[in-house]
């Protein structure tokens, strides 16, 4: 397998440890023959004129049966490059994988990404519904879902504490259009209502982190690696996904929140698997008002029960959203497709 991750440099915050470590583990177990990783953004930055030829040469020399290309944003990308990669002598399957959600009208797929999507044999998307439709409109032949994973940096253990300065913690960004009152993405209005409802209900006990908020509860942006620390400052964490009507549309906020070991309240996730829908530490709401009431109910429980529910959420995330397990499932989908195309 040839993996082309979206990495600007080799700093710890940029290196995609999840897929790298998961595929290395699968290779060590013999479930993947070999893995070669090439950070295409670094290759492009180092050789703006010859980077496409370099990627094709790497693919020709390595001879992968699968090429997985991750999260292509804007930037120069020769329209012929995806087809050239798929045409090397090993005739690999070209798979595009992206953990971000895109829509048809709001947050549309950018041209460079569409070039790869249209040439791919398979797209592994962050959700169905409008997200899958956006990929199909961009020319995707097949779209399947791939859930987010628990980042290894959030997999370590912790000792739950009774000393928590906040009651409720929410990490979310507010992405506005040119009209500030109108959020840019589906689910944004519900997220706004939820923030207002949480502030009214819990006042100073509600801590809101993220960009774009003017709420009295706002505490500003938080570094990616600091998310567990602030989530564990509260007894309940809250989230509201963009594209909430899309099947299993959940960003990495979900595994981050669950693996924090704190009870998590979120919007109802369409098509949620049984292990998630029945997890005692994850409470799903149909409306922002219902989410506020679920938080109120959770905060009415004894602390030892809240701790136990949070630990159950953490255990479920570490089992079902483990990177090795998720990537093994994705590669099973790829193997089935290869068998189908060859038959």
């Amino acid at each position: 397998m040839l993996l082309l991750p979206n990495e600007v440099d080799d700093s710890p915050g940029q290196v995609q440890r999840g897929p790298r470590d998961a595929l290395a583990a699968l290779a060590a177990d013999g479930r993947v023959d070999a893995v070669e990783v090439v950070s295409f953004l670094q290759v492009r930055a180092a050789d703006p004129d010859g980077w496409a030829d370099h990627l094709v040469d790497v693919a020709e020399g390595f001879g992968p049966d699968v090429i997985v290309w991750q999260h292509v944003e804007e930037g120069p990308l020769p329209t012929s490059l995806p087809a050239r990669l798929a045409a090397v002598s090993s005739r690999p399957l070209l798979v595009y994988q992206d953990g971000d959600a895109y829509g048809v009208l709001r947050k549309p797929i950018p041209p460079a990404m569409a070039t790869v999507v249209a040439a791919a044999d398979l797209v592994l998307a962050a959700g169905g519904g409008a997200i899958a439709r956006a990929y199909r409109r961009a020319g995707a032949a097949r779209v399947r879902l791939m859930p987010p994973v628990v980042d290894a940096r959030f997999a370590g253990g912790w000792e739950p504490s009774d000393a928590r300065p906040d009651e409720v913690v929410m990490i979310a960004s507010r992405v506005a259009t040119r009209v500030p009152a109108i959020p840019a993405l589906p689910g944004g209005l519900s997220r706004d209502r939820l923030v207002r409802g949480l502030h009214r209900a819990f006042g100073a006990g509600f801590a809101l982190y993220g960009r774009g908020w003017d709420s009295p509860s706002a505490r500003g942006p938080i570094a990616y690696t600091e998310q567990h620390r602030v989530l564990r400052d509260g007894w309940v964490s809250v989230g509201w996904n963009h594209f909430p009507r899309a099947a299993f549309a959940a960003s990495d906020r979900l595994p981050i929140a669950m693996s924090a070991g704190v009870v998590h309240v979120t919007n109802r996730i369409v098509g949620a698997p049984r292990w998630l829908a029945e997890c005692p530490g994850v409470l799903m709401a149909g409306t922002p008002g219902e989410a506020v009431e679920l938080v109120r109910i959770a905060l009415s429980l004894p602390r030892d029960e809240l701790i136990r529910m949070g630990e159950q959420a953490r255990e479920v995330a570490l089992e079902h959203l483990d990177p090795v397990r998720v990537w093994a499932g994705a590669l099973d989908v790829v193997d089935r497709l290869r068998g189908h195309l060859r038959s």
Side-chain angles (χ1 to χ4, degrees):
M1 172 184 291
L2 175 61
L3 176 67
L4 305 178
N6 181 301
E7 299 171 339
V8 175
D9 54 48
D10 291 327
S11 63
Q14 282 292 329
V15 173
Q16 301 294 312
R17 287 260 59 96
R20 282 174 172 265
D21 293 348
L23 292 173
L26 291 170
D29 286 347
R31 288 183 277 179
V32 176
D33 289 338
V35 179
E36 180 78 6
V37 181
V38 179
S39 301
F40 71 94
L41 292 181
Q42 295 181 45
V43 174
R44 185 170 70 188
D47 187 4
D49 296 325
W51 73 279
D53 291 336
H54 176 80
L55 286 186
V56 173
D57 289 344
V58 169
E60 188 64 59
F62 181 59
D65 53 2
V66 177
I67 297 176
V68 177
W69 202 333
Q70 293 184 296
H71 193 56
V72 176
E73 297 178 303
E74 273 304 341
L77 192 148
T79 56
S80 62
L81 178 55
R84 290 177 64 196
L85 288 171
V88 299
S89 56
S90 61
R91 292 295 187 269
L93 235 64
L94 181 60
V95 178
Y96 180 72
Q97 187 267 325
D98 205 309
D100 283 359
Y102 294 87
V104 175
L105 298 177
R106 291 190 279 180
K107 197 182 177 183
I109 291 173
M113 183 187 299
T115 297
V116 180
V117 166
D121 297 290
L122 175 67
V123 171
L124 295 172
I131 301 170
R133 285 196 297 275
Y135 282 116
R136 288 197 294 269
R137 288 192 60 165
R142 302 165 190 85
V143 181
R144 301 292 183 269
L145 308 189
M146 184 173 177
V149 302
V150 175
D151 190 303
R153 288 168 287 187
F154 298 124
W158 79 299
E159 191 65 35
S161 170
D162 282 344
R164 305 189 189 188
D166 302 311
E167 288 188 298
V168 189
V169 177
M170 182 174 181
I171 303 176
S173 296
R174 188 182 190 278
V175 184
T177 61
R178 294 178 182 178
V179 181
I182 302 176
L185 298 175
L189 284 173
S190 292
R191 186 179 284 188
D192 285 358
R193 294 188 189 105
L194 176 57
V195 165
R196 290 195 297 269
L198 290 170
H199 175 72
R200 283 196 302 267
F202 305 107
F206 171 44
L208 173 64
Y209 294 91
R211 300 183 184 278
W213 298 106
D214 60 4
S215 165
S217 298
R219 300 190 184 180
I222 185 73
Y224 180 81
T225 54
E226 291 293 300
Q227 292 180 86
H228 264 195
R229 180 182 63 78
V230 299
L231 289 170
R232 289 168 174 171
D233 280 345
W235 288 97
V236 178
S237 70
V238 183
W240 196 276
N241 292 302
H242 288 134
F243 297 92
R245 295 182 180 179
F248 205 7
S251 72
D252 61 355
R253 300 276 192 215
L254 178 67
I256 290 171
M258 291 178 66
S259 61
V262 177
V263 172
H264 185 58
V265 174
T266 186
N267 61 283
R268 188 166 294 124
I269 297 174
V270 178
R274 185 173 179 177
W275 55 261
L276 178 59
E278 297 182 0
C279 176
V282 178
L283 309 177
M284 297 189 193
T287 66
E290 184 180 335
V292 173
E293 293 311 310
L294 286 177
V295 172
R296 197 190 313 274
I297 291 169
L299 291 175
S300 303
L301 299 174
R303 290 186 174 185
D304 59 348
E305 186 169 350
L306 280 174
I307 290 173
R308 184 166 59 253
M309 291 168 64
E311 283 300 294
Q312 288 172 316
R314 175 176 168 76
E315 291 167 3
V316 167
L318 293 179
E319 178 183 359
H320 292 277
L321 298 177
D322 169 70
V324 175
R325 179 170 182 160
V326 171
W327 274 96
L331 294 184
D332 184 65
V333 173
V334 171
D335 286 343
R336 293 201 305 269
L337 176 59
R338 288 174 59 208
H340 171 71
L341 293 178
R342 289 176 178 177
S343 61

